[in-house]
Amino acid sequence: MGGRLDNKVAIVTGAGSVGEGIGNGKATAITFAREGAKVLLLDINLAAATETADIIQEAGGESLALSADVSSREDCASAVAYCLAQWRRVDILHNNVGIEIPGGLEDTSEAAWDKTLDVNLKGMFLMCQAAIKPMCSQRAGSIINTASINAIRTLPTRSLAYAVSKAGVIAMTRDVSVEYAGRGVRVNAVSPGMMATPFVTASLTDAYGGDVTSMMEKRDSLCPTGKQGESWDVANVALFLASDESTYITGETIVVDGAQSCKL
């Protein structure tokens, strides 16, 4: 345990992984707990959140797992209320839930568009709304939203709804940061580039004919570093933004992509 988040309470959405391995939310939840935070683990898949809780418990940390659909206002409000009932405060909110449905303008269905924006953008909006009052009453809080370089750059695999949703995350982060800067709440975003995570495997395998090895090799080749990032790279930036080391940083979007967006 490092102690950078001692006495803090965090909520992490998307704290499980969609498959084997460790995704961004899971890595961040584990990192927060290692640094001393009590962590409420939210995921629509309770078994996935519980798996993260088991890892945290084995390492001596403290966490609770809870099933929640972030596109539901009731679930978001209930999750924050549950956190307050257990630990009396909410210091950190890490909005990490996201889905990606490949497709451009003509091959993105209305249903795929609506689902993507409901989960990726409205979900963050609802979680921010639920958490902002206790943070303001404490006059302290850090909200960290997961965006993507796809918000500012068009990537080889078309995913229009995903790109639009992540651009919305950056805009929301900016506006909310200004609105609450005077009330002690900081709002920032992390924008990952190409990451080797279970989410990527689950979302994009079909686009590569089910050949995961070829997909990962192609993605590695597109990165200036010669390899994709890892979930821990995102988690470490989220940790900095959650900690008191970043108390004068708000409204920022920090890109974590090994210079990929500089090249595109």
Side-chain angles (χ1 to χ4, degrees):
M1 299 296 176
R4 292 166 71 185
L5 300 181
D6 279 352
N7 303 313
K8 293 187 184 295
V9 173
I11 298 174
V12 177
T13 73
S17 288
V18 296
E20 293 185 4
I22 295 180
N24 295 336
K26 189 173 187 176
T28 301
I30 292 169
T31 299
F32 284 179
R34 285 176 178 169
E35 292 294 332
K38 299 178 179 68
V39 189
L40 179 61
L41 311 166
L42 302 187
D43 203 286
I44 198 166
N45 182 347
L46 181 58
T50 300
E51 183 177 296
T52 305
D54 290 342
I55 293 171
I56 289 171
Q57 183 176 350
E58 288 172 8
E62 185 174 351
S63 67
L64 293 168
L66 188 67
S67 175
D69 176 357
V70 296
S71 66
S72 162
R73 178 180 296 278
E74 292 75 18
D75 279 14
C76 293
S78 294
V80 171
Y82 180 76
C83 186
L84 291 170
Q86 295 297 317
W87 293 315
R88 306 293 184 187
R89 57 189 299 115
V90 180
D91 299 291
I92 302 156
L93 169 62
H94 179 49
N95 283 313
N96 182 71
V97 172
I99 61 171
E100 182 172 2
I101 303 173
L105 179 62
E106 294 185 81
D107 53 352
T108 297
S109 68
E110 184 177 356
W113 176 273
D114 289 345
K115 182 176 181 180
T116 302
L117 268 70
D118 275 356
V119 174
N120 293 6
L121 185 55
K122 187 175 82 170
M124 293 195 188
F125 162 72
L126 293 175
M127 283 302 302
C128 286
Q129 275 197 330
I132 200 68
K133 286 185 178 179
M135 287 185 173
C136 285
S137 68
Q138 298 162 187
R139 294 202 61 80
S142 175
I143 297 173
I144 305 146
N145 299 321
T146 301
S148 168
I149 64 166
N150 207 175
I152 58 172
R153 297 287 186 271
T154 298
L155 302 181
T157 302
R158 290 283 187 270
S159 188
L160 177 63
Y162 180 80
V164 170
S165 70
K166 293 302 184 178
V169 169
I170 291 175
M172 183 176 71
T173 298
R174 182 192 65 233
D175 273 31
V176 177
S177 73
V178 173
E179 185 176 359
Y180 290 93
R183 286 180 260 186
V185 181
R186 298 180 294 109
V187 189
N188 294 288
V190 180
S191 238
M194 287 189 174
M195 298 285 160
T197 66
F199 169 80
V200 168
T201 300
S203 299
L204 301 181
T205 296
D206 288 346
Y208 287 80
D211 188 340
V212 176
T213 300
S214 294
M215 176 181 72
M216 289 303 181
E217 288 176 352
K218 175 64 174 178
R219 287 169 62 87
D220 284 341
S221 72
L222 293 171
C223 300
T225 59
K227 66 179 183 65
Q228 299 170 80
E230 299 179 353
S231 56
W232 303 107
D233 297 317
V234 175
N236 287 331
V237 175
L239 171 61
F240 168 68
L241 293 173
S243 75
D244 292 339
E245 297 160 19
S246 58
T247 53
Y248 201 60
I249 297 175
T250 191
E252 292 299 316
T253 298
I254 299 179
V255 175
V256 185
D257 73 346
Q260 185 184 10
S261 56
C262 298
K263 176 183 176 184
L264 288 172

